[in-house]
Amino acid sequence: MSTWTQRLDELGIVLPTAPSPVANYVPAVRSGNMVYTSGQLPFVDGELSIHGKVCTGAEGVVKPDEATAAARQCTINALAAINGLVGLDSIVRVVKVTGFVASAPGFTGQPGVLNGASDLLGEIFGEAGVHARSAVGVAELPLGAPVEVELVVEVADR
């Protein structure tokens, strides 16, 4: 059986170093066999890759497909936080994904946006990536990000 890091290689995904916190917290915490990540934004090379609220049809906002890609990047960053704490290959299963979408008035496509996270986890972890999920629309997110994702994973005994 291949490891999760081998699966990332097969998919052509390179985990970055876990993004530095933007306030007073840590990227991930282990409690027993569970790891909880802090909310991760779509940082790429230390910069927020996209800004704005998600909406359909208006100019100057983030389109749903762009937000879906941002959710995928948030998830890559969350996996990087887990990797930095306990190593990616210690993951037994993904338990929960919580996603927040900065939504323009009337936007109700938050579940579709969060499929960017869920689909990636399925690609990497297969059945072990099937998870519970919340997709929440919010007025604003830190630094003007359109999406924020948190993961809860079960990991192997120490």
Side-chain angles (χ1 to χ4, degrees):
M1 184 161 124
S2 68
T3 64
W4 304 133
T5 50
Q6 287 172 328
R7 182 67 184 135
L8 286 178
D9 287 344
E10 292 167 8
L11 294 169
I13 298 170
V14 176
L15 289 184
T17 301
S20 297
V22 297
N24 189 15
Y25 60 91
V26 294
V29 171
R30 180 179 184 153
S31 179
N33 284 7
M34 305 298 280
V35 173
Y36 302 81
T37 71
S38 296
Q40 297 294 316
L41 301 177
F43 282 110
V44 175
D45 296 328
E47 299 289 327
L48 198 60
S49 63
I50 189 167
H51 298 81
K53 293 187 180 187
V54 183
C55 187
T56 55
E59 289 186 35
V61 297
V62 177
K63 304 291 185 237
D65 61 329
E66 295 171 318
T68 300
R72 180 181 174 95
Q73 184 61 48
C74 293
T75 305
I76 289 169
N77 292 340
L79 292 173
I82 295 166
N83 191 50
L85 183 67
V86 297
L88 194 70
D89 291 327
S90 68
I91 294 174
V92 173
R93 75 164 293 116
V94 179
V95 176
K96 174 93 189 256
V97 174
T98 303
F100 304 93
V101 180
S103 303
F107 181 73
T108 59
Q110 293 84 4
V113 169
L114 266 294
N115 282 344
S118 295
D119 292 349
L120 175 64
L121 293 168
E123 290 172 32
I124 297 168
F125 299 104
E127 279 298 311
V130 176
H131 54 270
R133 186 179 86 179
S134 297
V136 182
V138 298
E140 299 288 341
L141 285 171
L143 307 177
V147 183
E148 181 173 344
V149 172
E150 301 173 356
L151 297 182
V152 179
V153 299
E154 179 184 359
V155 295
D157 290 331
R158 294 179 191 202

